[in-house]
């Protein structure tokens, strides 16, 4: 019995899966912006103000543990979403100077900070990214706030 392997159903399924994984890997690289190597900031506007404040407060406190509280100027893209505003307020509350489109002195240490908030399976995944560190966590969101639903994920670069 001669069976042509290129036409077998399991082999086609494996090829399709491999192609889908390859495409996902290639497209994941499209999320970075410029030469900074950090992802573009985005947050869905559906997250309530109280939930955005809780998530931003928790993420900034963890961010401060990694780079030290108030030791640098943080550069953010201008954003009017509830999370973008809550993140800026939380950073200022921890003593960071926050700039959006302004120029800074050449001697000022500026940390480019980007964030992503993604709804996923009834929760939201939050991530803060710099050139040196990324932190992330899942949260369960309600109308009155949010609670951490996972451990903190930390990745350091170079």
């Amino acid at each position: 019995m001669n069976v042509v392997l290129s036409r077998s159903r399991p082999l086609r399924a494996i090829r399709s899966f491999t192609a889908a994984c390859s495409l996902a890997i290639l497209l994941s690289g499209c999320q970075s912006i410029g030469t900074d190597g950090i992802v573009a900031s985005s947050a869905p506007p559906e997250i309530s103000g109280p939930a955005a404040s809780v998530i931003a407060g928790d993420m900034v406190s963890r961010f401060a543990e990694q780079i030290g509280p108030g030791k640098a100027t943080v550069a953010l893209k201008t954003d009017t979403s509830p999370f973008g505003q809550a993140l800026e307020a939380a950073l200022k509350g921890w003593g960071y100077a926050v700039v959006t489109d302004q120029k800074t002195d050449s001697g000022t240490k500026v940390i480019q900070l980007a964030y992503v908030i993604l709804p996923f399976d009834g929760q939201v995944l939050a991530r803060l990214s710099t050139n040196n560190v990324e932190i992330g966590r899942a949260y369960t969101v309600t109308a009155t706030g949010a609670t951490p639903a996972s451990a903190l994920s930390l990745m350091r670069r170079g």
Side-chain angles (χ1 to χ4, degrees):
M1 176 176 187
N2 290 336
V3 176
V4 178
L5 290 177
S6 63
R7 294 186 184 149
S8 69
R9 192 171 296 204
L11 188 56
R12 278 186 278 166
I14 291 171
R15 283 185 182 168
S16 295
F17 178 73
T18 303
C21 289
S22 299
L23 182 62
I25 290 169
L26 288 173
L27 289 177
S28 68
C30 294
Q31 287 186 339
S32 66
I33 55 175
T35 57
D36 294 337
I38 57 177
V39 297
S41 296
S42 66
E46 307 87 50
I47 294 179
S48 70
S53 292
V54 169
I55 295 169
D58 181 50
M59 293 298 283
V60 170
S61 71
R62 303 306 179 142
F63 176 74
E65 290 174 357
Q66 299 306 312
I67 65 164
K71 294 196 180 237
T73 299
V74 175
L76 282 175
K77 300 266 184 208
T78 304
D79 186 6
T80 59
S81 73
F83 183 78
Q85 294 174 348
L87 181 62
E88 185 174 347
L91 286 165
K92 288 178 179 177
W94 275 85
Y96 294 100
V98 178
V99 295
T100 52
D101 296 326
Q102 303 94 342
K103 298 276 185 190
T104 58
D105 297 336
S106 61
T108 304
K109 179 181 175 186
V110 177
I111 297 173
Q112 297 288 328
L113 179 66
Y115 60 87
V116 176
I117 305 293
L118 296 169
F120 180 75
D121 200 23
Q123 298 177 338
V124 294
L125 304 174
R127 182 173 71 179
L128 295 182
S129 303
T130 70
N131 288 331
N132 299 325
V133 69
E134 283 193 34
I135 58 173
R137 179 177 263 179
Y139 293 87
T140 301
V141 177
T142 64
T144 58
T147 56
S150 71
L152 185 74
S153 170
L154 170 66
M155 181 178 79
R156 289 194 164 272
R157 293 186 194 95

